[in-house]
Amino acid sequence: MSLSGHVDHLVIGAGFAGLCSAIKLQEDGETDFLVIEKGSDVGGTWRDNTYPGAACDVPSQLYSFSFAPNPDWSMSFSPQPEIQAYIQRVARESGVLDRFVFDTEMLSADWDDTAQRWTVETSAGTVTSTTLISGAGGLSAPRLPQIDGIESFQGEIFHSARWNHDLDLTGKRVAVIGTGASSIQIVPELQKVVGHLDVYQRTAPYVMPRGDRPYTRLERQLFKRFPAVQKLYRRAIYWGRETFVPGFTLEPKLAAPAKRIALKNIEKGISDPELRQKVTPTFEIGCKRILISNDYYPALDSDNVDLVTEPIAKVTGDAIVTADGVERPIDVLVVATGFHTTDLPIAEQIRGREGRSLAETWRESGMAGYKGTTVHGFPNLFFIVGPNTGLGHSSMVLIIESQVAYIREAIRAMRVNQYAAIEPTATAQQRWNDDIQRRMKRTVWNTGGCSSWYLDEHGRNTVLWPRTTFKFRELLSRFDVAAYDVTARTDERIPA
Ligand SMILES: Cc1cc2nc3c(=O)[nH]c(=O)nc-3n(C[C@H](O)[C@H](O)[C@H](O)COP(=O)(O)OP(=O)(O)OC[C@H]3O[C@@H](n4cnc5c(N)ncnc54)[C@H](O)[C@@H]3O)c2cc1C
């Protein structure tokens, strides 16, 4: 399909964020929109992360749309195929799929201040749009490690988010670089099939017990027949999770019981005292993402697994060499080194009112926006999962729904008041971010003694939201036009 012409709204990405935007735009009678997606299907994260063991680490009851409950979740933490099937089903049933253009990448977007619209180059042609809604994802672009000689490796190498399912790993010598959220799901699965597994750890994470269980048939029937019961159940999980916030943001001592549980998990899962020592974190719990697993530690304790904590010096044609000179031969290298988070590729592609890209703007002072959603200098741009919207304790779908609610309010205000363009003022944006960074100072992410992917090159946490999710929802519940510069419409292209 080739693209041309004008749409009122152009949405980038078909993950939870893009899909939520499409459904809610349609609900509001905004029918002139397109969603472009560089992949071949909806799902985003859940289309791409198909590695063995992939599952959510926030309970599925909460890690799903509030407006599309799923009584059929099989487990409290559902596996990837089920989440992907859920997103596909919601997309199908909501009747928005004819607005989606797959296998189409946004290459650049430039704000045209004369025409008051975005000119968007895509791999399928050029379109213009009144608003640009980015649902391009915060954990979407794989980050590859910069290791000497890695390009000379002759075996198979792939990122955890680009799993090579054609490769039979049975009996192979495999290395996994990284011990983050994806790695701890992958390692136990690999341990069962590979000949030998080396796990390269830079920093030991805290790993709590997973608390996973299958839902009984009775529970599922109950959810189906009495949706109010499922709603109550979801609410209980929601409030349970919100109680974690003070431990992260106000007083790390409140997280002491969680720390004890995580340390007990090491004792329970590992018998070798030296290995226990290696996996014991040296920073405060919560400073880096808290992980959950019942089988990661036992897998590390297995005979066919080595945890390597010596830094990697280089990769050769068939081995990894650590700083102490030890060479460990391998057939397959899995890089589980996360994603570009504070240097989002899409930020390079979007150029605002002054012709500067978001990336250029953000390189100077770090990622910043107003309410995590709009950005000064970038009129009519809405950025879902934008600066300081990430969570350490709960479901990102809650954040996405709050942001989409705000975007709907903004679009309604544009229609009703005949605004051609809206843009947050520099003052409003500055005030918003000053408040966030002031709150950040007290959080465990800044004081906990770790370096994490939450922090940018200036040491600022521009990824996480330092308050409760209900506060976020409240603050984004209405479009506050006083914080915006608005440009009145001079043509009749989009009547109210
Ligand atoms: C392995 C893994 C597990 C996770 N588990 C959880 C969890 O348990 N709980 C939780 O709350 N969060 C979790 N997350 C975070 C997760 O990313 C979010 O919850 C959520 O899926 C984000 O949805 P999204 O639509 O914003 O982004 P994504 O799902 O990343 O979707 C972005 C989409 O945009 C497309 N895109 C990007 N750039 C372009 C372009 N230029 N042109 C066209 N299309 C483009 C991508 O192809 C992708 O399909 C996890 C993330 C990962 C990687």
Side-chain angles (χ1 to χ4, degrees):
M1 177 174 176
S2 76
L3 292 181
S4 60
H6 181 86
V7 287
D8 287 350
H9 314 290
L10 188 70
V11 181
I12 315 298
F16 269 116
L19 178 57
C20 185
S21 306
I23 292 171
K24 296 300 168 185
L25 283 173
Q26 178 174 263
E27 257 177 50
D28 287 350
E30 295 283 341
T31 48
D32 188 17
F33 70 89
L34 283 179
V35 181
I36 62 168
E37 164 57 58
K38 67 180 175 187
S40 305
D41 197 356
V42 295
T45 292
W46 302 101
R47 180 199 62 224
D48 290 342
N49 289 270
T50 59
Y51 58 75
C56 54
D57 54 16
V58 168
S60 296
Q61 299 292 345
L62 198 57
Y63 192 57
S64 44
F65 290 124
S66 62
F67 53 84
N70 177 16
D72 291 321
W73 292 121
S74 66
M75 308 283 294
S76 28
F77 298 92
S78 298
Q80 172 271 335
E82 239 178 89
I83 306 172
Q84 176 62 358
Y86 165 80
I87 298 174
Q88 287 169 327
R89 180 176 60 73
V90 174
R92 217 170 37 243
E93 291 178 358
S94 59
V96 288
L97 274 177
D98 61 342
R99 305 275 88 207
F100 283 57
V101 188
F102 292 106
D103 301 309
T104 300
E105 183 170 3
M106 186 197 90
L107 303 174
S108 66
D110 289 86
W111 175 252
D112 179 340
D113 211 31
T114 312
Q116 298 282 295
R117 63 190 187 185
W118 288 96
T119 304
V120 183
E121 300 276 350
T122 79
S123 53
T126 304
V127 269
T128 61
S129 66
T130 306
T131 76
L132 183 66
I133 302 174
S134 171
L139 301 179
S140 173
R143 178 186 286 285
L144 300 172
Q146 308 285 318
I147 301 173
D148 217 19
I150 197 162
E151 64 295 334
S152 67
F153 183 62
Q154 298 297 307
E156 287 292 331
I157 174 168
F158 50 89
H159 189 273
S160 54
R162 301 286 181 269
W163 198 264
N164 181 351
H165 290 279
D166 295 335
L167 200 62
D168 182 5
L169 294 171
T170 313
K172 293 249 171 25
R173 295 168 305 176
V174 180
V176 174
I177 299 181
T179 52
S182 298
S183 173
I184 68 138
Q185 294 184 336
I186 292 167
V187 165
E189 298 305 313
L190 288 187
Q191 183 273 326
K192 292 176 200 158
V193 294
V194 302
H196 185 83
L197 180 64
D198 291 322
V199 180
Y200 287 84
Q201 169 186 286
R202 195 165 56 182
T203 319
Y206 281 97
V207 183
M208 305 272 286
R210 193 169 162 79
D212 201 9
R213 69 172 182 90
Y215 286 115
T216 62
R217 240 182 53 177
L218 185 68
E219 279 174 307
R220 287 195 257 168
Q221 275 170 357
L222 203 64
F223 292 156
K224 215 172 269 177
R225 294 189 59 186
F226 304 103
V229 173
Q230 189 178 14
K231 221 174 181 174
L232 264 177
Y233 191 68
R234 176 180 160 110
R235 205 162 286 170
I237 295 171
Y238 172 81
W239 286 108
R241 297 241 144 201
E242 287 305 289
T243 61
F244 299 162
V245 175
F248 285 115
T249 61
L250 294 175
E251 180 46 75
K253 282 197 193 103
L254 294 171
K259 185 171 174 174
R260 276 198 296 278
I261 294 169
L263 295 178
K264 261 251 149 3
N265 204 24
I266 297 177
E267 270 176 46
K268 193 171 154 233
I270 295 178
S271 51
D272 172 7
E274 199 186 322
L275 184 57
R276 278 185 183 170
Q277 189 61 35
K278 279 183 174 178
V279 299
T280 302
T282 53
F283 52 87
E284 274 314 312
I285 190 163
C287 184
K288 284 165 91 77
R289 194 175 175 84
I290 301 173
L291 311 181
I292 52 168
S293 176
N294 298 334
D295 46 10
Y296 175 63
Y297 288 140
L300 288 185
D301 208 20
S302 306
D303 290 344
N304 65 337
V305 179
D306 283 328
L307 180 73
V308 185
T309 52
E310 193 67 29
I312 296 174
K314 64 176 178 182
V315 175
T316 65
D318 61 357
I320 294 182
V321 183
T322 41
D324 54 3
V326 176
E327 186 170 330
R328 292 178 178 82
I330 46 166
D331 307 307
V332 179
L333 176 50
V334 178
V335 288
T337 42
F339 300 87
H340 290 274
T341 51
T342 55
D343 53 348
L344 300 173
I346 195 160
E348 301 281 354
Q349 298 163 332
I350 300 177
R351 277 182 292 273
R353 197 163 30 77
E354 287 167 4
R356 269 158 44 102
S357 71
L358 260 181
E360 281 171 274
T361 312
W362 284 348
R363 258 195 291 275
E364 279 165 20
S365 53
M367 285 201 301
Y370 180 63
K371 299 199 167 176
T373 311
T374 52
V375 187
H376 177 67
F378 295 80
N380 295 4
L381 170 68
F382 299 103
F383 210 97
I384 306 176
V385 189
N388 290 108
T389 57
L391 297 178
H393 72 290
S394 192
S395 166
M396 281 309 292
V397 180
L398 300 168
I399 292 290
I400 289 170
E401 286 192 33
S402 300
Q403 289 191 276
V404 171
Y406 186 71
I407 295 167
R408 293 169 81 181
E409 288 294 313
I411 290 173
R412 273 185 212 134
M414 289 175 76
R415 286 224 179 266
V416 170
N417 302 301
Q418 295 281 295
Y419 300 145
I422 56 158
E423 177 191 335
T425 64
T427 315
Q429 182 166 308
Q430 184 74 42
R431 210 173 283 149
W432 174 263
N433 287 289
D434 286 350
D435 180 60
I436 285 184
Q437 292 306 324
R438 186 179 55 75
R439 290 173 190 279
M440 239 8 133
K441 287 201 183 99
R442 298 177 66 176
T443 67
V444 70
W445 309 310
N446 279 39
T447 62
C450 73
S451 75
S452 72
W453 55 264
Y454 302 148
L455 306 179
D456 69 9
E457 56 190 9
H458 313 286
R460 278 161 53 108
N461 186 335
T462 55
V463 171
L464 292 182
W465 171 243
R467 304 180 75 178
T468 57
T469 61
F470 55 87
K471 192 68 195 172
F472 187 79
R473 190 174 56 220
E474 182 198 314
L475 290 168
L476 273 75
S477 61
R478 58 178 193 89
F479 178 66
D480 41 350
V481 70
Y484 285 78
D485 285 328
V486 299
T487 310
R489 289 175 51 84
T490 51
D491 67 278
E492 294 304 312
R493 198 179 330 103
I494 317 173

